[in-house]
Amino acid sequence: MVKAKNYLIKNKFKVVVVLIFIILFLLWMFFNLKVNKNFLKASLYDLMTIFFLVFVSYFLVEKHNDVQKKREVISIILDEIQTSSSVLENLCNQDKYSSDLFMMEIRKVKNNCNLLKEACLFFRIEEAVNYLKREIDELHTYVSEQKKISVNNPTIKRHCKNISYKSKEIYTDIYFRN
């Protein structure tokens, strides 16, 4: 429901901007008509060209802004994944740690991966997100099966590093390959 409201508000703003532009354009045209009687004969083509260019450039800029906003949201999610990965790795280095806290961090990364799954098609990052999900699932399975996890466990560290590196790869994919 919130997304729908934001979408409507955003589109209302666009409609208002376009209407204001059209009104200003018409006022400018009528002003020039009163001042210069030959205005329509000589400069209608110029006015239409300007109108078309401004209109098209406005929507191209808006499209770019939408893509940039999507990239920023994905960046926030990736930051959270990297932070959680670091927390998991640090928890593994402690002599005593809470397995509940460990599982909560794993769940947090899983949830963030599910959010990324929605952005997969737009940025073509399906493979990378699927890899992240597999690593998290493997880590979750490994931790769930262990009775006691040793300090500096190499399996946990490997999964955490893989998650961290893959999230950095997704960063480069969304900013430099799309």
Side-chain angles (χ1 to χ4, degrees):
M1 185 67 178
V2 174
K3 287 183 181 180
K5 279 186 177 180
N6 289 340
Y7 182 76
L8 289 174
I9 290 171
K10 183 178 175 183
N11 282 340
K12 283 182 183 178
F13 176 75
K14 285 181 182 179
V15 168
V16 168
V17 168
V18 169
L19 286 175
I20 289 173
F21 178 74
I22 290 172
I23 290 170
L24 289 174
F25 174 76
L26 291 173
L27 288 172
W28 181 45
M29 194 170 81
F30 287 125
F31 173 76
N32 279 327
L33 246 169
K34 284 193 173 217
V35 173
N36 183 3
K37 299 295 182 197
N38 294 327
F39 172 72
L40 287 177
K41 292 179 187 173
S43 61
L44 180 61
Y45 177 77
D46 294 336
L47 285 175
M48 296 309 287
T49 302
I50 290 170
F51 175 75
F52 179 75
L53 290 174
V54 169
F55 195 75
V56 168
S57 63
Y58 170 77
F59 282 104
L60 289 175
V61 167
E62 278 300 311
K63 182 177 185 234
H64 177 71
N65 287 344
D66 290 345
V67 170
Q68 191 60 31
K69 287 177 187 173
K70 288 176 185 176
R71 284 184 175 131
E72 288 171 7
V73 169
I74 291 173
S75 293
I76 290 168
I77 294 169
L78 289 170
D79 285 340
E80 287 182 14
I81 289 173
Q82 285 186 326
T83 302
S84 293
S85 175
S86 296
V87 167
L88 286 169
E89 197 170 348
N90 289 337
L91 283 173
C92 176
N93 291 334
Q94 297 175 0
D95 289 335
K96 290 184 178 181
Y97 70 91
S98 166
S99 61
D100 291 337
L101 184 61
F102 203 85
M103 296 306 273
M104 281 183 2
E105 284 299 320
I106 290 175
R107 187 71 200 144
K108 188 176 179 183
V109 176
K110 274 186 169 184
N111 290 340
N112 283 324
C113 284
N114 288 335
L115 292 175
L116 278 180
K117 197 81 168 153
E118 296 176 17
C120 281
L121 296 176
F122 187 80
F123 287 109
R124 297 182 304 251
I125 55 173
E126 299 93 359
E127 251 180 71
V129 172
N130 287 335
Y131 178 84
L132 274 177
K133 286 182 76 77
R134 277 193 312 274
E135 284 293 321
I136 285 298
D137 289 340
E138 288 174 18
L139 180 59
H140 183 267
T141 303
Y142 177 78
V143 171
S144 298
E145 291 174 351
Q146 299 298 312
K147 301 272 188 231
K148 179 155 173 68
I149 297 175
S150 62
V151 177
N152 292 326
N153 188 307
T155 304
I156 293 175
K157 284 186 174 240
R158 178 178 50 88
H159 286 298
C160 290
K161 291 289 184 196
N162 288 345
I163 291 167
S164 180
Y165 292 143
K166 189 53 80 168
S167 61
K168 288 176 186 174
E169 183 181 311
I170 294 172
Y171 268 123
T172 58
D173 285 349
I174 65 171
Y175 280 103
F176 301 115
R177 292 186 188 141
N178 285 319

